[in-house]
Amino acid sequence: MRMPLLQIDSLAAGYGKRDILDNVSCSLFAGSLAYVLGPCGAGKTTLLMAIAGLVRPKRGVIRLDGEDMRRKRPADLLARGIAYVPHNRLLFSSLSVRDNLLTAVWRDTDRPRIEEQAERLGERLPFLKACAHQSAGRLTNGERQLLAIARALMSRPRLLLLDDPYDELMPIEAERVAELGGQLAQEGTAVVIAQRSATPAACAGEHAYRLDAGRLLRSEAPAAAS
Ligand SMILES: Nc1ncnc2c1ncn2[C@@H]1O[C@H](COP(=O)(O)OP(=O)(O)OP(=O)(O)O)[C@@H](O)[C@H]1O
C-alpha cells in the first residue's frame, strides 16, 4: 500500500495551557494539493507551524514517510523536506531579490547546486532574474509572495506549507500563485494552502479541510476559478 508523505494522528497543539488544535488527523500524499480553510484565529497557522516543527505538539503524532517527526528540530524538518512560507512572507525589504532568495541557504558548501536551483527558479519565475538586483521592497505583493515561495523552494521541499498566500493579492496575482501551487503539486510536491475561506484562486477538485473549533474536518472542495 502507498504510504502517505505526511500523516497526522490525533494532534493537539496550542500555546501555554490553551489548546488550539484538538484531535487533528489527516494524511497527505506526494503530489497532492490540499486546502485548510478556517476563519481568523481558527488555528491554520498553528497547524502549519506544528507540521514545520515551529510549534510543539502536546499530544498526537506527526509522521513524514512513516517516521515520527515530533522531536525533530525545525532545521531537521527543513532538511527532510518540509518548507513553511509564513503568512507575512518575512522578506527582507532592503535586500535584493537575489539576496532574499539566498537567505534560504544555510550553508554555502554546495555553491554549484545553489546556483543551479536559483537558475531553475529564475526560469520558472522570470521576474526573479529580471529584478535580481532590485530591492524586494519594490516588488508588487504578488511578486513578494512568489519570492517567498521561491525562497522556500531553494531547499527543494517535498512538502510545501503556504500560510495565507493570497492575502493582499489582486485576483490576477492570486491566480499566478495558485497556478504555481498546482504546478508544484503536479511535479510531485505535496502542497498545503491555508486560507480564511474558499476563493476563486482555489481550484475545484482538490482536498479541502476546514478547521472548526480545533478539529479538522473534510470540507466541500473550494469553488472553481472564475
Ligand atoms: N504565540 C502565540 N501565543 C498565544 N496565542 C497564540 C499565539 N499565536 C496564535 N495564538 C492564538 O491561537 C489562535 C489561533 O491562531 P492562528 O494564528 O493559528 O489562527 P489562524 O487560523 O492562522 O488565524 P489567521 O487567519 O488570523 O491567520 C488565536 O486565538 C491566536 O490568538
Side-chain angles (χ1 to χ4, degrees):
M1 201 177 74
R2 203 173 147 220
M3 183 189 283
L5 176 66
L6 177 74
Q7 174 104 42
I8 300 177
D9 288 315
S10 308
L11 174 70
Y15 307 95
K17 290 190 174 152
R18 188 174 164 216
D19 282 0
I20 304 297
L21 305 176
D22 174 29
N23 204 16
V24 165
S25 299
C26 68
S27 55
L28 198 64
F29 288 88
S32 53
L33 176 60
Y35 284 86
V36 176
L37 308 174
C40 179
K44 304 178 298 294
T45 296
T46 305
L47 175 59
L48 297 197
M49 296 215 323
I51 297 169
L54 301 165
V55 167
R56 280 236 176 267
K58 294 183 180 182
R59 295 180 295 283
V61 188
I62 300 175
R63 291 193 174 87
L64 192 75
D65 284 333
E67 190 185 341
D68 187 349
M69 293 286 117
R70 276 174 305 179
R71 309 230 174 272
K72 305 262 188 237
R73 291 172 305 149
D76 295 332
L77 294 173
L78 185 65
R80 295 290 307 270
I82 300 179
Y84 171 62
V85 180
H87 169 205
N88 50 17
R89 296 162 196 146
L90 288 183
L91 294 174
F92 300 96
S93 296
S94 59
L95 292 187
S96 70
V97 167
R98 183 175 162 78
D99 284 346
N100 267 279
L101 206 56
L102 296 183
T103 56
V105 180
W106 292 57
R107 292 188 193 135
D108 201 16
T109 48
D110 193 2
R111 179 53 66 176
R113 197 160 165 264
I114 293 164
E115 292 296 345
E116 183 197 321
Q117 182 65 350
E119 181 67 25
R120 194 176 295 162
L121 288 168
E123 279 160 24
R124 190 193 278 274
L125 301 168
F127 83 92
L128 292 176
K129 275 186 177 178
C131 306
H133 303 293
Q134 178 179 314
S135 68
R138 292 180 55 206
L139 297 178
T140 63
N141 284 341
E143 289 168 337
R144 289 172 64 80
Q145 184 61 53
L146 291 169
L147 172 58
I149 297 172
R151 181 177 58 184
L153 294 177
M154 285 296 288
S155 64
R156 303 180 194 220
R158 293 184 297 152
L159 172 60
L160 181 67
L161 307 168
L162 304 181
D163 197 348
D164 217 354
Y166 307 123
D167 190 34
E168 297 180 347
L169 301 196
M170 293 191 296
I172 193 167
E173 295 175 320
E175 270 173 39
R176 180 66 193 99
V177 171
E179 183 188 37
L180 176 61
Q183 286 168 354
L184 292 167
Q186 275 185 0
E187 292 163 17
T189 309
V191 181
V192 180
I193 296 179
Q195 61 180 102
R196 293 194 183 147
S197 54
T199 64
C203 303
E206 305 295 349
H207 305 289
Y209 297 90
R210 187 165 44 88
L211 262 178
D212 191 357
R215 305 273 173 136
L216 190 67
L217 311 167
R218 278 308 272 256
S219 173
E220 293 302 308
S226 58

